[in-house]
Amino acid sequence: MAKPLTDQDKKKQISVRGLAGVENVADLKTNFNRHLHFTLVKDRNVATKRDYYFALANTVRDHLVGRWIRTQQHYYEKDPKRVYYLSLEFYMGRTLQNTMVNLALENACDEATYQLGLDMEELQDIEEDAGLGNGGLGRLAACFLDSMASLGLAAYGYGIRYEFGIFNQKIVNGWQVEEADDWLRYGNPWEKARPEYMRPVHFYGRVEHTVDGVQWVDTQVVLALPYDTPVPGYRNNIVNTMRLWSAKAPCDFNLKDFNVGGYIQAVLDRNLAENISRVLYPNDNFFEGKELRLKQEYFVVAATLQDIIRRFKASKFGSTDFVRMDLSMLPDKVAIQLNDTHPALAIPELMRILLDIEKLTWEKSWDIVIRTCAYTNHTVLPEALERWPVDLFQNLLPRHLEIIYEINRRHLERVSKNYPGDADRMRRMSLIEEGGTKKINMAHLCIVGSHAVNGVARIHSEIIKDTVFKDFYEMDPQKFQNKTNGITPRRWLVMCNPGLAEVLAERIGEDYIRDLDQLKKLLDFVNDDALIRDVAKVKQENKIKFAAHLEEHYKVKINPSSMFDVQVKRIHEYKRQLLNCLHIITLYNRIKKEPNKSWTPRTIMIGGKAAPGYHTAKMIIKLITAIGDIVNNDPVVGDRLKVIFLENYRVTLAEKVIPAADLSEQISTAGTEASGTGNMKFMLNGALTIGTMDGANVEMAEEAGEENLFIFGMRVPDVEAMEKKGYDAMEYYNRIPELKQAMDQISGGFFSPDHPALFKDLVTMLMHHDRFKVFADYEAYIKCQDKVGALYKNPKEWTKKVIHNIAGCGKFSSDRTISQYAREIWGMEPSLEKIAAPDDPR
């Protein structure tokens, strides 16, 4: 049970959590009871915990609605340029606490629930995560929505309302088992269905070329039903919209074909249409060319573009009431950002609308498309790039295939003008890849159809210009930009780590929450003993709290004074959880060899989901749990080394573990992690980073000082040089005794006594075809980890480095990222202005 806040507490907490005014609290209690009795319980005598959660959610939602309506009204009157962020993934997590933070309601709600005899944390734990994403790309979209609202941009997130999000992960006998994420089972208080904006989406059919133009006929229709979720800005009274589409079969689905006696079957077959929004594809950084996935990609794009054009035509401009019909104005009023290539079909779909429906010329249409669209690239891994077979397109989207062929014809004409006789360049730059089966390269389509192409960290943006998109960069250098990723400090500091947010606010004020660069002011306090003590104290409290969470939910006891060494992210060979495993085994072997030496105690936590079809990733999870079984039960080791696999890593677990971490593992092979954003979350929450010079780690080292991170291993040029000369894993195995010992233990069954050959596939991969060169960085990693262990024994010096890191976090706010997108890509100006609250006279 939360204890009531004393007046002194309330003063100390200034307004990071919002003021708990008496009227505020009384109103909240009244509204809570109203919802409990009238909206929810009605004819039941007894309210459940879930009823209390829904009553609280509805009470908080009431505070959003007026602001939501007023914001949309404000946009309608002012008619600003609008930005549409198109993404197949929005990894939102929970909404309740984030809404309370952004509306400054947290203290009042705490006090109100306390007075009603309820525990706020218990209620928050009832909410399901909205897990409509796989990892970085989907979570980035969620952070961007928060920043766009906080910066007063007229922004809309558009995606799919998956009935089943990312699977829940269970670990059974050390293996990952997936179960469906039925997140809507009890209803979702944060969404509002908008059937009045339902839109038809067409598939299949054929194309007719007539004197009146082109027609796509005999199509199958699926309806797109929008659900709106409010997105509140940070204390600026702005509430934007995330609109997610759900697939519905039309009433006459399968009935118009006079299938005699097939009525029951026809109704049952409605499921086939509605399957489009059934489930999120659970692959991270991997392309699976399935028809259902292509249907999802077209579904979100077709529904969204209809909405964009409807809103463009209906908007007021200036003071006149004429409806806007001139589509050549579209790029002045609309920006479309493609989050990776998944919504790439926006390019041919917008062309189809302009050509076939609005009857514009090709030249005019193409000019509008290019000036409206921009593309963000998220990966250079070849297996992740979308390449759709032409025959799939021919069948599903015949008109779009024609348009893509014509885009390609004109594009290659331009290439050949610029590079006469260079047939190989033409082949490399074509949107259509010839060979076995003809395929459409969606990244090439995005580059050709956009006015801006960006990578997500400086090193990544350089790599795409030097390698994968080199030809395109040479032809159109002005298109290529960098936009280093960021994270929202509202969720990833104020909400998940209120203790630290408070300690910082006491020193530098609380304006840093909307202007994270102000964290630089902490450099004045880096030697201040009081701050050092407070930062260390908050970390210790977070560790004790997380240890209690692990004990309660997973029945594992850990030593809160040990170093919490954490690697949480999707399981993937390029992220090198295997390198972490080799360090664990090496540490274990050293402790066994010299049990009386004074080792720095560590609790090593690894968490993350493996794609269900990714065999190697699933074996990596089994290896981690198998190592844990041996290490954790060895009495010689005791609590100096523990290995924990964190089950079902998701947004809500990240919010608990990140504030408790001492060491953040960011150890991908240089040149493979486009940016990373978990790295930034750990940095902001007072962990030190051990990492390679990859992704945003490079810029983190620049901002905080390289001496304040533990950087190790090959840089990109070293990796490239090794590719050239050939990577020989056996050379390292034979030369480094501790590496040989660890590998021999894995392959000899030391960690799988009942099944000695269990890990033979992993061993063979590491020894003979490891694309990510784990052994090449082993020695440098172990040496670097020794430095980490030594520094941790000196808490004061450790904490000074932590303060340097927090002070260097300003750049990694998604507010900075979004301001750059707005100014440099969308042609919009962000603003920190507040609009009037609904209860203010206008």
Side-chain angles (χ1 to χ4, degrees):
M1 184 62 77
K3 54 178 203 307
L5 297 163
T6 66
D7 288 340
Q8 201 183 354
D9 283 337
K10 284 180 196 151
K11 277 203 200 76
K12 202 188 103 187
Q13 284 194 311
I14 39 177
S15 62
V16 168
R17 290 166 59 84
L19 297 169
V22 180
E23 324 73 29
N24 243 346
V25 173
D27 282 351
L28 286 166
K29 287 166 68 181
T30 306
N31 288 326
F32 178 91
N33 282 315
R34 183 170 54 84
H35 279 297
L36 189 64
H37 295 301
F38 298 107
T39 318
L40 295 164
V41 181
K42 296 189 185 81
D43 51 358
R44 277 186 287 136
N45 295 326
V46 179
T48 63
K49 282 261 159 66
R50 180 162 280 105
D51 291 319
Y52 292 130
Y53 160 70
F54 274 100
L56 179 57
N58 283 306
T59 304
V60 171
R61 188 171 149 263
D62 291 341
H63 287 257
L64 280 170
V65 181
R67 291 175 170 90
W68 199 4
I69 291 166
R70 178 164 291 195
T71 300
Q72 300 311 313
Q73 176 97 23
H74 172 79
Y75 292 154
Y76 182 73
E77 288 164 8
K78 293 269 185 283
D79 192 31
K81 185 168 185 178
R82 292 168 156 91
V83 59
Y84 295 94
Y85 197 83
L86 267 62
S87 183
L88 270 279
E89 302 185 18
F90 287 94
Y91 203 173
M92 303 295 284
R94 289 176 178 166
T95 298
L96 175 60
Q97 194 185 354
N98 185 246
T99 304
M100 294 190 301
V101 165
N102 280 11
L103 264 42
L105 286 172
E106 214 176 356
N107 267 335
C109 287
D110 261 339
E111 186 64 28
T113 48
Y114 174 78
Q115 289 180 19
L116 292 164
L118 299 166
D119 180 341
M120 175 74 94
E121 273 195 48
E122 240 175 75
L123 298 187
Q124 284 170 176
D125 270 332
I126 289 166
E127 183 176 357
E128 299 273 359
D129 272 43
L132 309 184
N134 278 287
L137 174 147
R139 183 54 235 175
L140 186 78
C143 283
F144 280 3
L145 292 183
D146 181 272
S147 286
M148 290 186 292
S150 296
L151 292 169
L153 296 172
Y156 301 77
Y158 273 91
I160 296 176
R161 181 182 178 265
Y162 300 108
E163 196 177 322
F164 296 92
I166 189 65
F167 60 86
N168 285 313
Q169 178 192 58
K170 291 268 186 290
I171 301 298
V172 179
N173 300 323
W175 298 94
Q176 167 175 301
V177 175
E178 302 88 23
E179 65 181 35
D181 165 41
D182 192 5
W183 72 291
L184 294 168
R185 185 172 45 229
Y186 298 106
N188 173 6
W190 305 107
E191 69 181 9
K192 174 80 184 79
R194 307 297 303 273
E196 66 273 28
Y197 292 119
M198 190 128 63
R199 297 278 169 258
V201 176
H202 298 263
F203 293 103
Y204 304 107
R206 55 193 175 79
V207 181
E208 282 182 354
H209 292 262
T210 67
V211 281
D212 302 324
V214 183
Q215 288 188 307
W216 179 17
V217 297
D218 296 341
T219 56
Q220 292 182 22
V221 177
V222 177
L223 299 176
L225 171 64
Y227 285 78
D228 288 357
T229 299
V231 178
Y234 183 71
R235 300 184 188 185
N236 61 357
N237 295 320
I238 283 181
V239 180
N240 284 343
T241 302
M242 175 178 67
R243 175 163 285 182
L244 302 180
W245 300 100
S246 183
K248 279 289 270 170
C251 292
D252 61 3
F253 186 77
N254 267 13
L255 289 167
K256 39 195 179 310
D257 324 314
F258 49 99
N259 41 359
V260 183
Y263 165 71
I264 294 289
Q265 196 52 48
V267 174
L268 298 183
D269 285 347
R270 294 169 61 85
N271 279 320
L272 299 171
E274 296 173 359
N275 277 337
I276 290 175
S277 56
R278 195 79 67 203
V279 60
L280 169 74
Y281 272 83
N283 304 315
D284 187 74
N285 275 295
F286 183 76
F287 170 59
E288 187 175 356
K290 294 279 193 286
E291 182 178 42
L292 181 63
R293 171 65 173 196
L294 186 57
K295 278 185 174 169
Q296 289 180 340
E297 293 184 353
Y298 181 63
F299 175 75
V300 65
V301 154
T304 300
L305 276 166
Q306 290 178 68
D307 227 19
I308 291 174
I309 284 164
R310 173 192 58 77
R311 201 176 281 117
F312 169 79
K313 286 183 172 180
S315 291
K316 284 186 168 182
F317 60 118
S319 57
T320 62
D321 288 316
F322 293 123
V323 175
R324 211 182 339 232
M325 294 311 290
D326 178 9
L327 271 291
S328 63
M329 299 276 294
L330 193 77
D332 302 325
K333 287 293 173 186
V334 170
I336 295 175
Q337 192 67 37
L338 307 175
N339 193 25
D340 213 318
T341 57
H342 313 145
L345 288 166
I347 292 166
E349 173 66 4
L350 183 52
M351 277 304 278
R352 185 185 72 81
I353 293 167
L354 297 174
L355 292 167
D356 301 356
I357 298 167
E358 302 292 335
K359 309 292 189 195
L360 273 59
T361 66
W362 181 280
E363 289 69 22
K364 187 78 219 158
S365 303
W366 187 238
D367 175 65
I368 292 169
V369 168
I370 284 190
R371 288 167 48 219
T372 304
C373 297
Y375 158 57
T376 302
N377 172 272
H378 284 271
T379 182
V380 295
L381 294 181
E383 64 268 34
L385 296 175
E386 292 197 294
R387 297 178 163 95
W388 287 103
V390 163
D391 46 22
L392 196 59
F393 251 84
Q394 181 66 261
N395 185 33
L396 191 71
L397 300 167
R399 178 59 179 143
H400 298 77
L401 183 60
E402 290 186 348
I403 290 169
I404 289 167
Y405 276 148
E406 180 62 14
I407 292 170
N408 195 41
R409 189 187 67 75
R410 290 169 180 250
H411 159 62
L412 289 180
E413 209 168 77
R414 185 172 163 240
V415 175
S416 118
K417 262 204 197 69
N418 287 329
Y419 306 94
D422 193 342
D424 199 54
R425 183 182 295 260
M426 298 263 287
R427 180 190 56 74
R428 293 196 308 266
M429 292 183 76
S430 177
L431 309 193
I432 313 291
E433 297 181 356
E434 306 288 348
T437 52
K438 284 171 61 164
K439 292 185 172 161
I440 303 170
N441 184 312
M442 301 304 270
H444 290 185
L445 175 62
C446 286
I447 296 168
V448 171
S450 297
H451 69 278
V453 175
N454 72 279
V456 290
R458 194 204 302 135
I459 188 178
H460 169 234
S461 296
E462 291 304 315
I463 287 169
I464 66 177
K465 293 190 298 192
D466 294 343
T467 59
V468 262
F469 304 145
K470 184 171 194 283
D471 296 320
F472 292 90
Y473 173 64
E474 286 172 4
M475 189 162 87
D476 286 308
Q478 75 293 340
K479 279 191 181 182
F480 288 77
Q481 303 189 20
N482 172 243
K483 296 286 170 279
T484 300
N485 284 164
I487 57 172
T488 171
R490 272 72 65 181
R491 182 176 294 264
W492 296 111
L493 179 60
V494 179
M495 184 183 124
C496 71
N497 201 343
L500 181 57
E502 205 47 68
V503 163
L504 303 180
E506 282 167 10
R507 303 311 194 286
I508 64 172
E510 53 174 297
D511 280 356
Y512 74 87
I513 298 168
R514 14 154 78 79
D515 176 16
L516 208 62
D517 279 323
Q518 294 193 27
L519 290 176
K520 283 192 183 58
K521 296 177 183 170
L522 291 170
L523 291 174
D524 297 341
F525 299 91
V526 80
N527 294 306
D528 175 335
D529 285 337
L531 179 65
I532 292 170
R533 187 178 58 244
D534 286 351
V535 168
K537 178 168 170 286
V538 167
K539 179 61 72 179
Q540 199 51 40
E541 287 166 358
N542 291 340
K543 289 172 71 174
I544 288 165
K545 188 171 181 187
F546 188 66
H549 171 81
L550 284 184
E551 206 174 329
E552 186 189 343
H553 291 90
Y554 303 101
K555 313 287 173 254
V556 279
K557 264 188 94 68
I558 56 173
N559 168 14
S561 62
S562 64
M563 181 202 306
F564 285 11
D565 171 343
V566 183
Q567 185 177 24
V568 283
K569 50 189 71 236
R570 287 295 291 257
I571 310 293
H572 202 299
E573 289 159 82
Y574 87 84
K575 294 176 186 281
R576 298 202 295 190
Q577 283 91 356
L578 287 169
L579 184 56
N580 196 340
C581 289
L582 289 174
H583 173 246
I584 298 171
I585 297 170
T586 303
L587 214 49
Y588 172 75
N589 289 332
R590 287 177 177 184
I591 295 170
K592 294 284 281 183
K593 194 175 169 189
E594 304 183 76
N596 298 320
K597 206 173 145 185
S598 114
W599 300 99
T600 307
R602 286 200 196 218
T603 302
I604 300 175
M605 308 182 208
I606 304 178
K609 291 173 184 175
Y614 188 177
H615 173 252
T616 304
K618 291 187 146 180
M619 288 307 302
I620 291 170
I621 291 174
K622 177 60 177 172
L623 177 63
I624 296 161
T625 58
I627 293 169
D629 288 340
I630 298 294
V631 170
N632 299 345
N633 294 300
D634 192 323
V636 175
V637 174
D639 68 358
R640 292 178 291 184
L641 181 60
K642 288 277 180 250
V643 179
I644 311 286
F645 187 85
L646 296 173
E647 192 178 290
N648 204 29
Y649 179 65
R650 59 198 186 286
V651 173
T652 294
L653 187 54
E655 290 162 3
K656 293 176 164 71
V657 68
I658 291 171
D662 291 306
L663 185 67
S664 160
E665 300 265 359
Q666 308 296 335
I667 58 180
S668 54
T669 312
T672 63
E673 188 73 89
S675 168
T677 45
N679 47 4
M680 302 166 190
K681 292 163 193 170
F682 282 104
M683 183 183 188
L684 183 59
N685 281 277
L688 297 186
T689 301
I690 185 168
T692 50
M693 277 297 201
D694 197 20
N697 298 355
V698 177
E699 291 160 82
M700 286 164 49
E702 192 175 297
E703 296 295 303
E706 198 171 328
E707 67 283 2
N708 295 308
L709 282 78
F710 297 97
I711 298 290
F712 72 94
M714 298 182 289
R715 312 299 207 251
V716 167
D718 305 318
V719 175
E720 286 170 348
M722 185 168 290
E723 296 271 64
K724 268 207 192 71
K725 89 169 198 335
Y727 163 62
D728 178 13
M730 294 305 291
E731 187 266 316
Y732 298 93
Y733 171 83
N734 290 316
R735 182 169 57 75
I736 307 164
E738 285 185 308
L739 173 59
K740 183 178 193 301
Q741 180 187 8
M743 287 304 298
D744 290 351
Q745 286 169 308
I746 296 170
S747 61
F750 181 84
F751 297 106
S752 51
D754 299 336
H755 187 345
L758 183 60
F759 300 114
K760 73 166 171 18
D761 289 356
L762 283 184
V763 171
T764 304
M765 181 274 289
L766 284 170
M767 297 287 219
H768 302 294
H769 32 85
D770 175 11
R771 296 166 57 201
F772 303 104
K773 306 175 178 61
V774 171
F775 293 0
D777 276 337
Y778 170 83
E779 247 180 326
Y781 181 54
I782 300 296
K783 286 197 176 106
C784 197
Q785 284 282 22
D786 293 343
K787 281 167 56 185
V788 173
L791 185 68
Y792 194 75
K793 287 196 160 79
N794 184 342
K796 190 169 175 181
E797 289 309 306
W798 179 279
T799 306
K800 280 188 190 180
K801 282 198 194 292
V802 165
I803 294 166
H804 273 286
N805 271 269
I806 297 171
C809 272
K811 178 178 185 176
F812 305 108
S813 169
S814 47
D815 296 344
R816 185 269 318 151
T817 310
I818 286 298
S819 297
Q820 290 183 334
Y821 276 95
R823 295 189 177 112
E824 298 163 26
I825 298 180
W826 304 331
M828 299 167 76
E829 194 47 47
S831 144
L832 288 176
E833 226 181 308
K834 260 184 150 165
I835 64 168
D839 39 19
D840 294 354
R842 295 226 268 172

